[in-house]
Amino acid sequence: MSTTLEKPADLGRDTTGSAPGAGIRPSDTTPRTPGRVSLWLRTHARDLVWLIPVLLVSAVVNFLNVGGSPQRIDDEGTYTAQAWAVTHLGELAHYTYWYDHPPLGWLQIAGYTQLTGAFERWDVAVLAGREAVLVAALVSVVLLWALARRLGMSRVAAAATGLVFALSPLALQFHRTVYLDNVAVPWLLLAFFLATNRRGQLAAFAGSAFAFGIAVLTKETFLLALPFLAWVMLRSARRETRRYTLSVAASILVLIGGSYLLLAAVKGELFSGTDRVSLMEGITFQLASREGSGSIADPDSLINRTLGMWWQLDPVFIVLSLVAAVFALLLPRLRPYAVLVLAMTAFMFRPGGYLPVPYVIMLIPFGALLIAGAADSAVARIRRRSASHRGLATGFVAVAAVGAIVAVPLWATQLRGFVLADLDAPLRGAEQWLEQNATTDQRIIVDDAMWVDLVRAGWDRENVIWYYKLDTDPAVQADSPNGWRDADYVVTTDSMRTFPGAFPQVQQAIDNSVVVASFGSGPQAVEVRRVTIDGAEQAAISLDDAVSQRARLGAELATNPEITLEDADRDRLIAGQVDERIIAVLAALAGSGSVTVSGFPVVSGEGDESFRQLAISSISGAPVADGDRLTPEGRALLDSLTGAYEPAEVAVSGDTVVLRYPISLRPLLP
């Protein structure tokens, strides 16, 4: 069943009884034909009363704390960096584009960020990408509403569809993540909405084919929905024009798909060749050579972890979607969408197949549509005593009611985490540590979520190496002839720890490095590791030697009566926890007068086992700072610190000067 808008009577006709324009003089009492916008608003006023609150709730919940939860991941960084490369580097990707995905997805993100200035508004680049995909999610809410109403669902059910789509913790997790699938969803929904049109089908079907083509060129896995879109078109097509309208739609779809082939052909990268990427290689990788996700029976398999993550986020939505899909097989208007959900769910378990983590994104809107649509139809059947399948309808309503009761506390807990938790703090902390303690000429192996931020902070793009490329991109390998040995730091995240051994050079860098700063814990943990050419074992030996040297020198310094410091700081000197350059500076100052130490501030992320900052408040009784300015004694102090004793950073706060020394993994003093 479908609903159509009625054209108001006499719209566009002269109702005065006179010939058009004859003897008509404007006056205040002359009735005016309402404008198209005002007429549309009056016609859809009741729909807007329901839709606008759904949109507002969706926007608030989705955007609130978008920078805190979930933590940024590598895939987000990749798509954001590719969009940033389009707008800031004039390139299709920040590394060699090798046809792993069609580029239209991040081109749309790039267009949004360029039009809105999103990259300039956010300090963290990935959040500009998140803004773009959240706007796409709000567009999807509107299209879901329109599709639900087109399918004959009540306004209550259409509103429920939008709310479930926007507020399910499973949906919210993925709405806030920069996946190409999120950009493709509104195009897919638009394709299905236009495919159900009963008027002007030539334009509607052409538009549907165009929208579906854009969806597929945004994320290629959406091609799986083609049989179901064709089914909807066949059901909706008028018999007298079916052959013509479907032929036009098919032709448009082929032309759009052919544009991707044309792009590769123009670049000379359609087929495989020596020292070049190719579209055929990308397709072969995606369809044949990519490693499968393993068996559902294997608790350590990728498919098991992926399904477990989905289930942990929202088991209620998953169960209700599948139950609603089974019930909707009895409902002709919802049957194509029910078969879509069930078939694509079964497709996940094909032997040897690869299951992408964002695969579920395409199913979420149809799951929400089926839950609300099946409940709407079931309630209607129960009210009509003569309706068929009333027993099944009653059973589904009971299951849906139980699901709603279970979902309320579960969703409340999950949503509270989304709007309150700051899971991204470890990544921000690691970035800040690098900006303050590493130099821009040092090479850093990173999760791609950090790539744009570090390049914007001043690093040359060649010195910020996306870990995936160190083992796979010949251009990156050419810039790193010594492999991992050319890197100074490696920043490890859960993404890098998930595939041990998959990237040999990255693994070597990790194995031959020591942790110098750590942020967060568990899956959110981020470690900044200093690469050591001699290996982590030798670095540990050198560090033990340094601690012994510090303890010996610190114990002597701690007894010097010219140095004033707290007992806790004295204990740190004796324990060998204070950097030997600080010990040498204090010894020199104590040799010519008294010195007051305010403390050894901890560098964020470094814990309390190593102190390489020194806070001094006075020398020989004279303050070294006044307000935020150095006194003559303070300036003399800094002028005297040269060579190995020159601090990497100096900060003045109140009456204190804080000296920060660079990272050292070995003894620096004889």
Side-chain angles (χ1 to χ4, degrees):
M1 181 174 66
S2 64
T3 59
T4 57
L5 300 179
E6 295 182 358
K7 182 178 179 181
D10 300 325
L11 181 62
R13 286 170 45 192
D14 174 36
T15 57
T16 64
S18 305
I24 300 177
R25 295 167 54 175
S27 69
D28 292 339
T29 59
T30 302
R32 296 182 179 180
T33 303
R36 288 187 177 183
V37 174
S38 60
L39 180 61
W40 186 92
L41 289 174
R42 285 195 295 180
T43 304
H44 295 277
R46 294 182 62 189
D47 286 324
L48 293 175
V49 167
W50 283 90
L51 175 59
I52 290 175
V54 172
L55 268 178
L56 291 176
V57 171
S58 302
V60 170
V61 174
N62 277 273
F63 275 97
L64 197 61
N65 193 37
V66 66
S69 181
Q71 186 182 50
R72 283 173 283 160
I73 61 173
D74 187 66
D75 281 354
E76 286 190 279
T78 299
Y79 302 134
T80 300
Q82 288 170 324
W84 186 85
V86 171
T87 57
H88 290 75
L89 303 177
E91 301 174 10
L92 203 54
H94 59 314
Y95 285 98
T96 303
Y97 173 59
W98 63 283
Y99 298 93
D100 54 335
H101 299 297
L104 191 55
W106 61 85
L107 286 175
Q108 292 175 72
I109 296 175
Y112 175 86
T113 58
Q114 185 72 9
L115 289 172
T116 63
F119 279 123
E120 286 67 42
R121 284 200 308 276
W122 296 98
D123 293 334
V124 176
V126 165
L127 299 187
R130 285 190 178 182
E131 181 183 311
V133 297
L134 284 176
V135 169
L138 295 181
V139 174
S140 297
V141 169
V142 176
L143 290 169
L144 261 180
W145 167 278
L147 181 59
R149 295 291 289 152
R150 177 67 59 81
L151 294 174
M153 292 165 56
S154 66
R155 292 184 179 89
V156 174
T161 300
L163 289 174
V164 171
F165 172 75
L167 303 183
S168 162
L170 178 64
L172 194 57
Q173 170 80 18
F174 286 99
H175 290 338
R176 290 178 174 222
T177 308
V178 187
Y179 281 124
L180 302 179
D181 310 63
N182 284 320
V183 184
V185 163
W187 292 107
L188 181 66
L189 293 175
L190 178 61
F192 275 97
F193 174 74
L194 293 174
T196 59
N197 200 43
R198 295 289 294 174
R199 292 184 178 181
Q201 286 195 333
L202 178 60
F205 282 18
S208 176
F210 177 81
F212 185 75
I214 298 298
V216 173
L217 289 187
T218 301
K219 187 61 183 289
E220 67 281 356
T221 53
F222 278 51
L223 187 61
L224 294 171
L226 178 58
F228 309 100
L229 180 65
W231 182 2
V232 172
M233 279 189 176
L234 283 170
R235 291 181 51 178
S236 303
R238 295 182 178 276
R239 181 173 301 177
E240 59 272 18
T241 59
R242 177 183 298 167
R243 180 177 300 178
Y244 182 53
T245 54
L246 293 180
S247 297
V248 170
S251 299
I252 291 175
L253 190 57
V254 170
L255 286 173
I256 293 176
S259 65
Y260 190 37
L261 299 176
L262 182 61
L263 169 68
V266 168
K267 296 179 66 178
E269 296 171 347
L270 182 58
F271 299 104
S272 302
T274 306
D275 298 328
R276 74 181 184 200
V277 296
S278 74
L279 175 58
M280 291 301 116
E281 285 182 351
I283 293 175
T284 301
F285 170 77
Q286 295 287 4
L287 298 181
S289 61
R290 190 166 194 169
E291 184 179 355
S293 298
S295 170
I296 185 65
D298 180 6
D300 296 324
S301 65
L302 179 59
I303 187 173
N304 207 300
R305 293 198 302 269
T306 299
L307 295 177
M309 183 190 74
W310 296 350
W311 183 264
Q312 184 179 15
L313 283 167
D314 195 353
V316 175
F317 178 84
I318 293 173
V319 171
L320 283 183
S321 295
L322 295 175
V323 173
V326 173
F327 178 71
L329 293 175
L330 304 174
L331 310 174
R333 61 180 179 172
L334 294 177
R335 189 173 296 143
Y337 311 97
V339 176
L340 183 154
V341 168
L342 294 174
M344 294 188 65
T345 300
F347 183 76
M348 294 189 301
F349 300 98
R350 68 196 185 282
Y354 173 73
L355 177 62
V357 171
Y359 179 88
V360 73
I361 292 176
M362 180 167 49
L363 299 178
I364 290 173
F366 297 107
L369 184 72
L370 289 172
I371 291 172
D376 189 46
S377 179
V379 170
R381 285 171 181 261
I382 293 172
R383 288 176 175 174
R384 296 195 304 269
R385 297 182 181 276
S386 60
S388 59
H389 306 297
R390 289 186 70 246
L392 289 175
T394 303
F396 178 76
V397 170
V399 170
V402 172
I405 293 172
V406 175
V408 169
L410 176 65
W411 284 23
T413 301
Q414 295 277 44
L415 294 179
R416 186 162 53 247
F418 277 111
V419 300
L420 296 178
D422 190 2
L423 302 182
D424 200 55
L427 264 176
R428 297 197 306 274
E431 288 180 359
Q432 186 177 22
W433 189 97
L434 288 169
E435 292 174 16
Q436 294 176 348
N437 297 281
T439 57
T440 55
D441 60 340
Q442 292 178 312
R443 307 197 81 190
I444 308 173
I445 302 172
V446 298
D447 184 303
D448 223 13
M450 305 172 66
W451 193 91
V452 175
D453 295 340
L454 293 180
V455 172
R456 293 201 300 184
W459 271 266
D460 288 337
R461 55 188 295 194
E462 292 79 9
N463 285 338
V464 186
I465 306 172
W466 175 23
Y467 77 90
Y468 179 84
K469 293 295 183 177
L470 188 59
D471 283 284
T472 60
D473 193 329
V476 175
Q477 293 167 349
D479 289 335
S480 304
N482 299 310
W484 64 270
R485 293 178 177 84
D486 288 328
D488 296 289
Y489 289 96
V490 55
V491 184
T492 62
T493 61
D494 187 60
S495 175
M496 297 173 69
R497 296 188 292 265
T498 301
F499 302 98
F503 306 101
Q505 288 292 328
V506 176
Q507 193 62 50
Q508 285 288 313
I510 295 173
D511 293 341
N512 291 278
S513 63
V514 295
V515 177
V516 293
S518 180
F519 303 87
S521 60
Q524 283 78 41
V526 180
E527 293 181 343
V528 181
R529 307 178 69 96
R530 188 71 161 91
V531 177
T532 61
I533 301 300
D534 297 331
E537 185 176 346
Q538 182 58 48
I541 296 173
S542 298
L543 184 59
D544 288 340
D545 292 342
V547 170
S548 298
Q549 184 188 69
R550 294 169 187 170
R552 177 174 55 83
L553 297 174
E556 296 176 3
L557 188 66
T559 61
N560 193 318
E562 296 296 331
I563 299 178
T564 302
L565 72 169
E566 298 289 338
D567 290 341
D569 292 324
R570 195 180 306 276
D571 292 340
R572 295 181 179 111
L573 280 172
I574 297 172
Q577 297 175 329
V578 179
D579 190 284
E580 55 264 48
R581 290 161 294 189
I582 293 176
I583 294 175
V585 168
L586 289 177
L589 292 174
S592 58
S594 63
V595 56
T596 301
V597 176
S598 298
F600 305 116
V602 178
V603 177
S604 178
E606 296 186 15
D608 57 359
E609 295 183 357
S610 178
F611 299 86
R612 55 186 181 89
Q613 290 194 124
L614 168 63
I616 298 177
S617 57
S618 68
I619 298 175
S620 298
V624 294
D626 182 13
D628 292 331
R629 296 180 300 174
L630 289 171
T631 63
E633 288 76 13
R635 285 193 294 271
L637 168 65
L638 296 185
D639 291 340
S640 68
L641 301 176
T642 59
Y645 305 106
E646 183 178 1
E649 182 178 333
V650 178
V652 181
S653 177
D655 62 350
T656 302
V657 173
V658 180
L659 312 178
R660 175 182 295 184
Y661 284 90
I663 285 286
S664 172
L665 300 179
R666 61 185 65 191
L668 294 176
L669 303 178

